[in-house]
Amino acid sequence: MIDLLVKVLVNAVGVYVAVLVVPQIKFPAADNLLKLEGNWWEIIIVALILAVINSYIKPILKLLSFPITLLTMGVFAFILNAALLLLAAFIADLVSVDFTIGGFPPNFTADSFVGALIASVVISVVSIVLGMLDRGRRIVI
């Protein structure tokens, strides 16, 4: 249970940093966080969606796409991460959270895919850095 909570918090920080860095992402809840107004819980919802996708769907898709990942020398993993981030944006739209990447949803364009690709790299880097900080908690407990 604690591990899922840590994943959600790490994803929330990663999404927030991606909103600040990637211009294609429109997320009013994260934009208003610095002003201390708005719906901060929407960031937690998107982070929870990402945590569930990364915990349950991503391992299955990585296993199924292993041959193509091998053929592309790992480049397909970036495409898979971008697709899963677009899936998170789609699910967020279904639960009425205003989180769009380059106009997706509803419009899927090259701009939305490039935005998702850059955002997935940013979220991965933030997750790696915060994951290294989390290693101390796992050793102590």
Side-chain angles (χ1 to χ4, degrees), residues 14 17-19 21-22 117-127:
V17 170
V19 168
V21 173
V22 181
L117 193 62
I118 296 169
S120 67
V121 170
V122 169
I123 292 171
S124 296
V125 167
V126 170
S127 296

Side-chain angles (χ1 to χ4, degrees), residues 7-91:
K7 281 183 185 181
V8 170
L9 291 175
V10 165
N11 281 330
V13 172
V15 167
Y16 182 71
V17 170
V19 168
L20 294 177
V21 173
V22 181
Q24 287 95 339
I25 296 179
K26 303 295 181 235
F27 195 21
D31 291 336
N32 294 331
L33 189 64
L34 288 177
K35 301 173 191 168
L36 297 176
E37 59 187 42
N39 299 329
W40 57 269
W41 53 269
E42 288 183 355
I43 299 171
I44 301 299
I45 289 175
V46 171
L48 183 63
I49 292 169
L50 269 176
V52 169
I53 287 173
N54 286 336
S55 295
Y56 297 108
I57 297 173
K58 187 177 181 178
I60 295 168
L61 292 178
K62 279 177 71 173
L63 183 66
L64 292 175
S65 67
F66 180 71
I68 195 166
T69 303
L70 208 61
L71 284 174
T72 60
M73 293 182 276
V75 174
F76 188 74
F78 291 113
I79 295 170
L80 182 64
N81 284 340
L84 291 176
L85 188 60
L86 289 171
L87 175 65
F90 180 75
I91 293 172

